[in-house]
Every structure is written in C-alpha cells, then in structure tokens.
Amino acid sequence: SIVTVEDNIAPVAICQDVTVQLDNTGTGTITATQVDNGSSDACGIASLVLSQTEFECSEVGSNTVTLTVTDINGNVSTCTATVLLEDNIAPVAICQDVTVQLDATGNGSTTATTVDNGSSDACGIASLVLSQTAFVCSEVGANVETLTVTDNNGNSNTCTATVTVEDNVAPVAICQDVTVQLDATGNGSTTATAVDNGSSDACGIASLVLSQTAFGCSEVGVNTKTLTVTDVNGNVTTCTAT
C-alpha cells in the first residue's frame, strides 16, 4: 500500500514590535528577521516576508506591518507588529551675516529668513526663529544673534550670525539767524547753540560747530555762517544762518 504523509500544520508566527530611526536622508529600513520573535514550524521555516521594510518621513509614528511565515511545505501563518518610526535627526542650520540700516527714526530690522543661508532637513523645516530681529541706536555695530531651526518632527539646531547695525542717516540741521551786538571794545560773539534751531538726530547729536563765533568792527552787517551738525555715529549735515 502507499502511505501518503502530509504536513498541513501551519507554522507558529510570532511577531515583536520594533522601533526604527530615520537616517539623514529621511529613510528608515527594517527586516523580517527583526520583526520575527521566534516563529517556528516542526518541519522547518522556508521564508519570512514582511509587508513593508522601508519607511519615510510621512510615516513617522506607528505603522502596522504583517509578517508572513511560510514553512517548507507551503503552509502559511501571519502575525502583525507595530513599527514605531522615529525622526531624531536634527536639521542642518546654516547662517549668513547680514547688515541692518537704521532708518530716520533710529530703528532697523531683519528676519530669520534673511539670516538663513540654506538650512535643511530631510523631513522638512517647520520654523526659523532669530534671537533678535529689531535693532535700535544703542546696537550700532556688531551683534551676534542665534538662528534656531526646527524640523517638522521637533528636532532643532542652531547657528550664529553677525548682524551689523549701521546708522547712515544724517542729522536734520536747522539754523536760525542771530544778531550780535559789539561791545565797547568792538568785539562780539555768538555760539553754535544760539544759531541752532532744533537740529535733531534719532541716535543723538554729538556736536554743533559754527564756522565763526567771534566778530569785530570790520564785520558789522550781514555775515553768512555755517552750522555743522554731527551725530553720534559720525554723520554730518550743515545749514547756514545770517
């Protein structure tokens, strides 16, 4: 007689959850062997096949995968596992130095986007934040500021940039005419302050200089003189007075 021996017993499929880290290209991979947790079959296992082995940024979080276990006689069992995909790669933060010009009110500003010089992340950048964007007269010169780059999964990195604040706005020079009385010795004088009629500068005036302050008999009559107004950052404007 013929004895036909059959194996119709499916293998025992046993899965385990796994955690996968994305790399700096935004890709993560696993194998069926990693998900397998001791699947067995009396006659031997022929193959372990996982429903998904490669993951990308859009799949950060929990993903359910199926492990198919096939024995050497073609019997099949499956189990499921959770693949926890994590992105722990910080973005690449790249800064560039910028120059800010103060306006006539003594204010100037820049933006995080201006300071950014191509910061990147495989899963995308969520925000760029600069430690200071608005500047005033007291900050004329070099200011070191920090750019914080945060990716879509909450990882962040920083870089620093020098924000050079410049005041190139000349002061407003306003003159008024003055009259000088000669004394009994034939001498008279005035001052730059007397000729000044409210000259101003947002960052402050450093000096007022009049082209001539002392007068004698030979100058009786009309004399046109120049008032030089210099602000605290070296910008100069003039006006004339009689």
Side-chain angles (χ1 to χ4, degrees):
S1 63
I2 297 172
V3 178
T4 301
V5 179
E6 294 182 349
D7 172 16
N8 293 316
I9 305 295
V12 177
I14 308 174
C15 285
Q16 62 184 344
D17 296 338
V18 294
T19 299
V20 179
Q21 304 291 335
L22 291 178
D23 61 21
N24 57 10
T25 69
T27 303
T29 58
I30 59 171
T31 64
T33 303
Q34 287 175 280
V35 172
D36 179 50
N37 194 24
S39 300
S40 62
D41 186 89
C43 292
I45 292 174
S47 67
L48 299 170
V49 177
L50 197 59
S51 58
Q52 184 177 353
T53 59
E54 188 166 301
F55 299 85
E56 59 185 19
C57 293
S58 62
E59 296 164 308
V60 167
S62 296
N63 302 268
T64 300
V65 295
T66 300
L67 178 67
T68 300
V69 182
T70 306
D71 71 15
I72 60 175
N73 293 308
N75 300 296
V76 176
S77 288
T78 62
C79 57
T80 59
T82 297
V83 176
L84 180 61
L85 185 65
E86 295 183 347
D87 170 20
N88 293 316
I89 304 293
V92 176
I94 307 174
C95 286
Q96 60 185 343
D97 296 339
V98 297
T99 299
V100 172
Q101 303 291 340
L102 296 181
D103 61 19
T105 70
N107 294 287
S109 65
T110 187
T111 64
T113 304
T114 303
V115 171
D116 179 52
N117 193 26
S119 301
S120 62
D121 186 89
C123 290
I125 292 176
S127 67
L128 299 169
V129 178
L130 190 61
S131 56
Q132 184 176 348
T133 57
F135 298 86
V136 294
C137 293
S138 61
E139 293 159 315
V140 167
N143 302 267
V144 177
E145 304 300 338
T146 301
L147 178 69
T148 301
V149 182
T150 304
D151 71 15
N152 286 320
N153 293 309
N155 303 295
S156 62
N157 207 350
T158 62
C159 56
T160 58
T162 298
V163 178
T164 301
V165 178
E166 294 184 349
D167 170 21
N168 293 316
V169 178
V172 176
I174 307 175
C175 286
Q176 61 186 343
D177 297 339
V178 295
T179 299
V180 174
Q181 301 293 336
L182 296 182
D183 61 18
T185 70
N187 293 289
S189 65
T190 188
T191 64
T193 304
V195 171
D196 179 52
N197 193 26
S199 299
S200 62
D201 186 88
C203 292
I205 291 174
S207 68
L208 298 169
V209 177
L210 190 61
S211 57
Q212 184 177 352
T213 57
F215 299 87
C217 294
S218 62
E219 292 155 320
V220 167
V222 173
N223 300 266
T224 300
K225 299 302 172 186
T226 301
L227 178 68
T228 300
V229 182
T230 305
D231 72 15
V232 295
N233 293 308
N235 301 296
V236 176
T237 304
T238 63
C239 58
T240 58
T242 298

